[in-house]
Amino acid sequence: MVNYNFPRTTLPFAMATKLGGSEWRRIPYCLGEVRATTTLTFRRFRGRILFRDPQGQIARIISEDRVNRRRILAGILSVGLLSLLALFLPSLHKSPEPASPSAPALAQTPSETANAPAPSDTPIIPAPVVAAKAAPLPPAPQSAADLPDVDPHKAFGSKNAPVTMEVFSDFQCPACKTLFLTTNRQLMDNYVTTGKVYLIHRDFPLAMHAHSRVAARYARAAAQLGKVEPVEQALFQNQEKWEQSGDVDGTVAAVLSAAEMTKVRALVKGGTLDAPIDKDFALGQTYRINQTPTTVFHCKGQTYPYSGVMTYDVLKTFLEQLLSQK
């Protein structure tokens, strides 16, 4: 409590008096003369000023400070919001910036790759080939004769061809089916039979495929009878059927005679076909192969592995540039 001595004065204000309970009523009032002995009591200020007159009665003057503070706070918030809008609105109307010149270019489509002119004599190797080439590889053979464990029944074309292709495949692999049905026929007609490519089929049965090794056995048995092409065609074309049923024998029997089928079954049961399959698989591991199909190209002492399905247009472009090397 602080005591102040005021000079005699007249002070108009609106006073509220307590009528009963906790109810207050504002009554217009005009204070006459405040005597010098009047005592003012200041509590923690919350927007109200309390006066105590000499008789001990309390008069409350409702201050407008609380209303003013609310107005000031609302004004500050409004200015802040307007400032934020001024900052963010221009960015909403910005047009997208052009791509940086240093950003990597998107991969070309097969047709674009096929039509792109070669800047030099170096072959344009598809991206997967470049990635696979980075892995350490065994010494590249100088000719097809240097390649190990080539089954002549599963190799096509001339050994003296300038390009040798080893295709590591799984008969139960959907991607291998796509490669065989969409690319293999054109490759055989345009490059293998013309003496430009020596094509070798390598078995690479994946453990995740329950019937792929069985299919590889039947295909190798049929190859020894000179029936590798119709059997491979039947296995790939009917892949979904024998994959579900496991009936590899019935799929192969549909394209061979009864006599041929008897010989194939004897070879399969003989147990001698797993050894060449295992050799192909081991060779694939030396090439760091981890998926099927994977094609390994050999040309002029260089080796180029490619993982995945290569369209015929891309394959043709790559082969032509390999063949044009001096």
Side-chain angles (χ1 to χ4, degrees):
M1 179 179 293
V2 182
N3 296 325
Y4 290 90
N5 293 324
F6 288 92
R8 186 181 297 273
T9 182
T10 299
L11 196 65
F13 70 106
M15 186 184 74
T17 59
K18 188 171 183 181
L19 301 178
S22 60
E23 181 180 357
W24 294 83
R25 186 178 63 185
R26 298 188 63 188
I27 304 175
Y29 187 82
C30 201
L31 182 65
E33 294 180 352
V34 179
R35 301 182 181 275
T37 59
T38 300
T39 301
L40 295 179
T41 302
F42 292 88
R43 298 180 181 177
R44 180 175 294 179
F45 182 70
R46 296 181 179 177
R48 294 173 182 172
I49 301 176
L50 304 179
F51 288 88
R52 184 186 299 273
D53 62 13
Q55 287 76 27
Q57 294 181 352
I58 297 176
R60 295 191 179 185
I61 300 176
I62 307 301
S63 173
E64 294 183 359
D65 288 348
R66 176 179 294 179
V67 177
N68 291 336
R69 284 187 299 169
R70 289 178 179 175
R71 289 175 180 173
I72 293 172
L73 181 59
I76 293 173
L77 291 175
S78 300
V79 172
L81 289 174
L82 290 174
S83 301
L84 290 175
L85 289 175
L87 289 174
F88 288 105
L89 280 178
S91 63
L92 297 178
H93 297 284
K94 286 184 179 180
S95 58
E97 297 180 358
S100 172
S102 60
L106 295 176
Q108 292 179 313
T109 61
S111 60
E112 290 172 338
T113 304
N115 297 329
S120 64
D121 292 336
T122 304
I124 299 177
I125 304 171
V129 175
V130 177
K133 189 182 177 184
L137 298 174
Q142 296 300 316
S143 66
D146 298 329
L147 290 171
D149 302 313
V150 177
D151 184 349
H153 301 103
K154 302 198 73 176
F156 310 93
S158 172
K159 289 184 179 181
N160 298 321
V163 178
T164 299
M165 290 175 57
E166 296 179 276
V167 180
F168 290 80
S169 183
D170 180 325
F171 285 106
Q172 201 172 336
C173 163
C176 296
K177 171 184 176 179
T178 300
L179 180 66
F180 182 87
L181 297 179
T182 62
T183 303
N184 189 69
R185 187 71 267 163
Q186 296 182 78
L187 172 66
M188 292 287 292
D189 293 341
N190 299 325
Y191 288 95
V192 176
T193 59
T194 57
K196 298 177 182 178
V197 171
Y198 183 51
L199 179 63
I200 303 170
H201 175 94
R202 299 284 194 183
D203 287 312
F204 201 81
L206 300 176
M208 61 186 293
H209 293 149
H211 310 297
S212 59
R213 178 171 283 269
V214 176
R217 292 175 188 149
Y218 274 83
R220 281 192 174 268
Q224 294 188 19
L225 303 180
K227 296 292 183 179
V228 62
E229 289 189 63
V231 169
E232 287 188 349
Q233 185 85 13
L235 288 172
F236 279 124
Q237 284 184 336
N238 300 281
Q239 185 184 84
E240 292 82 1
K241 294 180 180 179
W242 60 263
E243 180 182 30
Q244 294 179 1
S245 65
D247 187 16
V248 177
D249 185 275
T251 303
V252 175
V255 294
L256 296 181
S257 66
E260 291 169 339
M261 199 61 203
T262 299
K263 295 178 182 179
V264 165
R265 288 173 180 143
L267 290 171
V268 170
K269 292 179 181 179
T272 61
L273 300 177
D274 282 324
I277 294 174
D278 292 338
K279 289 181 179 179
D280 279 357
F281 193 89
L283 179 62
Q285 291 180 317
T286 66
Y287 289 130
R288 309 296 190 268
I289 292 174
N290 56 16
Q291 71 178 78
T292 56
T294 295
T295 304
V296 181
F297 299 83
H298 303 283
C299 181
K300 297 179 174 63
Q302 297 294 321
T303 297
Y304 309 95
Y306 184 96
S307 298
V309 178
M310 183 183 291
T311 65
Y312 178 73
D313 288 338
V314 174
L315 175 62
K316 178 181 178 182
T317 300
F318 184 52
L319 288 176
E320 289 299 328
Q321 295 198 30
L322 286 178
L323 294 170
S324 66
Q325 288 187 101
K326 297 180 181 180

